[in-house]
Amino acid sequence: DSGVTQTPKHLITATGQRVTLRCSPRSGDLSVYWYQQSLDQGLQFLIQYYNGEERAKGNILERFSAQQFPDLHSELNLSSLELGDSALYFCASSGGFLSYEQYFGPGTRLTVT
Amino acid sequence: AQTVTQSQPEMSVQEAETVTLSCTYDTSENNYYLFWYKQPPSRQMILVIRQEAYKQQNATENRFSVNFQKAAKSFSLKISDSQLGDTAMYFCAFVSRGQFYFGTGTSLTVIP
């Protein structure tokens, strides 16, 4: 158990809908990262937050947004969902801005039908 | 552009033997970090080992060690005394300036 929690574990929704994925980092970790892993693919880095501020942006679509709240939990919002958004979405946390040793949550499996 | 390449989609090794997984990367940066992550069938991503680019000494974690060749931009993972629990997908990852890049993975099967 990495100490990072993600909810829900599974999510099934229809095209055009909007969903919110939630992540709680390890106790004391200030950085949260979001990744997308499509079927049989590597991980695509989406975005990083550090202590509530956006710090780095990867291949995140404009239909996707994220935020980190004062209690350090983070949410990833996916809107106008398409079939191609079906994937495993991981959240990871690390201790500091330059501490890149990440601990991953169990992921949220999103299926868009 | 930064890229990470894992040229071995699948590998297998006999239990108790040694196996090496390859990874190359491309970057113009001088300061960066490299990682190997393991993803077993449970899909949980588990950090195996990390290497800071400024360190010449190769990182070692128990049965896992790396061969870091900075000039060649190579970062291979050696697993000694392979165990059945090592069966997993292994991803090489690179981070610089806050941006993370992962390879497409190598599926390792440990054969009893």
Side-chain angles (χ1 to χ4, degrees), chain A residues 20-39:
Chain A
T20 297
L21 313 184
R22 182 187 169 101
C23 168
S24 293
R26 290 189 318 160
S27 178
D29 282 358
L30 298 178
S31 280
V32 170
Y33 309 79
W34 286 98
Y35 293 89
Q36 179 192 58
Q37 184 179 32
S38 300
L39 188 64

Side-chain angles (χ1 to χ4, degrees), chain B residues 3 9 17 20 25 44 51 65 74 77 93 105:
Chain B
T3 59
E17 296 295 308
T20 298
Y25 57 94
Q44 175 77 47
Q51 174 82 43
S65 61
S74 171
L77 174 70

